[in-house]
Amino acid sequence: MNKFNTLVVGALALAICACAVVTNAEDGQKKAKNVILFIGDGNGFNSEALGTMYHHGEGLGAESYQKFPVTLGSATFMIHKHKDGRVEWDPVKEPEKNMGYVPEEFWKGMDGARWRPTNTETTDSGASATAINTGIKTLNSYVSMDGQGNKLENFADLNYKAGRAVGIVSTDQISHATPAASSAHNINRNNYEEISKEQINELPLTVLIGSGHPCYDNGKKIDKSADDLNYKFVGGREVWDAVSKNDGYKGWTFIDDRPQFAELAAATPDKKVELPKKLLGICRTTGDVPAIDGCIEDPNFTAQHYGQEAVDSIPTLAEMTLVTLNILSQNENGFYTMIEGGNIDHANHANNGPKSCREHVAFANAIDAAIEWVEKYSSWDETIMIVTADHETGQIWGDGTYDDVDGNGKWSKEDEFLGFQPIPKTEKGKYPAVQYGTGSHTNTLVPVYIKGAGAECAKDFIRGNDAKAGEFWGFSGDFIFNSDIFNIMSAASGISR
């Protein structure tokens, strides 16, 4: 057996272990009928702290989901492919419990966030979302494919088989890396047209919501002929023309305007309103869905920054979330939904702290809306909610962490490390002073918050403890791998391979 196969067998064995947890806990443990997964793209602990401070004038613990009974870290590393094509995982030379993330290395200084052993690498969203949704770590750019290019059965696939509804939501394009890996299968996350064609034409999705509209940008009509528009994020011209006619193509009901989203968001289960059986919602923007409810100090900011058309025609992530929960709940067998706040990542790539704060608020508002929905129309006895991130972006620390000697605004070898500083306390609506170490992803732990049916099974998948992280961010320090989120969802719901 080669080393890569050892990895796959090990991952499958862990999945089997998850099944054993379900079986052994059959008596008395309530299974999650509904699984709600929130992914804040690029949202590490310090990004969380930054946004929370802006939102509440308090640090971690102020958001409702940060009070969930289970808080863990997640190690997000992926597999490294060597120049000669080898993909290795050697549990003898590098024991699995330390693979890819070693606390002692991380806390040595700013370069610790870039440290990795020989056979692992800092992840991208495709590889991490694949690990989260399949339980198997893979290569960068792969979406629901293993390191050898084989199609993986993801959690959405397993829910279809169980007769449950599945919804995929993002503030990015529907075919972007995280929604892609949560639903479709492709060797390259950038094959947007292939991915969206699979999502729309082939997958039994119940809800699919995101951006990628070929005709609008930030709510404004694009001044181009139909032949010159970009249809790659929505399945290509032929698929778009068919589905946007809204005459039932592949069973989809199509919407793209905020009033349509708002109407469905208000159609809660108690209203007994007839809802679409399948919903495709493409927000009226080609790129990022703007955080129109994210600027708490200036409610007019969005209209001034993006234009009034954006406010009038593009839904909030909270509205998108409620639409999804209302429609999915029509399935008596239950549902799985992945809801992504995708633009925290984009803000942190740009080292734009204020934008990161606004994106955090929009993401937190969506989670609050989902919590309220669960408590009104479901219960924590039948629903599990997990809030996490696919990776950290930006290497954010409080101001004064390093002396920016060369003045380039990022950590470099010329700079002087002064010591890790926490996100400073500010008033609500004020942007904390922070330093970014990079414009890229890092190998930093990200948070995992869990509540609901089966949440206690998370303890069975702990890989190690980072006491310094626990001290810095106010939790036990226990961490899992991102691939263990799949195992937790499987164990909690009873749905596994």
Side-chain angles (χ1 to χ4, degrees), residues 32 35-38 64-74 371 380 383-388 447-462 480 484-489 492:
V35 178
I36 302 172
L37 172 65
F38 280 93
S64 55
Y65 61 89
Q66 293 166 359
K67 299 179 176 72
F68 281 4
V70 176
T71 301
L72 300 167
S74 172
I371 291 171
W380 295 114
T383 299
I384 184 171
M385 187 180 297
I386 301 173
V387 181
T388 190
V448 185
Y449 305 103
I450 312 174
K451 182 175 182 176
E456 65 277 4
C457 78
K459 68 181 183 296
D460 297 305
F461 301 101
I462 292 170
I480 59 175
D484 292 319
I485 293 172
F486 170 87
N487 298 317
I488 293 167
M489 295 191 297

Side-chain angles (χ1 to χ4, degrees), residues 32-45:
K33 175 182 174 183
N34 308 315
V35 178
I36 302 172
L37 172 65
F38 280 93
I39 297 179
D41 199 316
N43 196 34
F45 275 105

Side-chain angles (χ1 to χ4, degrees), residues 58-95:
E58 301 177 44
L60 293 174
E63 299 289 6
S64 55
Y65 61 89
Q66 293 166 359
K67 299 179 176 72
F68 281 4
V70 176
T71 301
L72 300 167
S74 172
T76 64
F77 62 92
M78 50 146 273
I79 303 169
H80 174 65
K81 187 172 186 178
H82 296 272
K83 289 181 180 179
D84 61 3
R86 289 178 297 115
V87 177
E88 294 189 78
W89 186 288
D90 192 333
V92 176
K93 293 181 180 178
E94 297 177 296

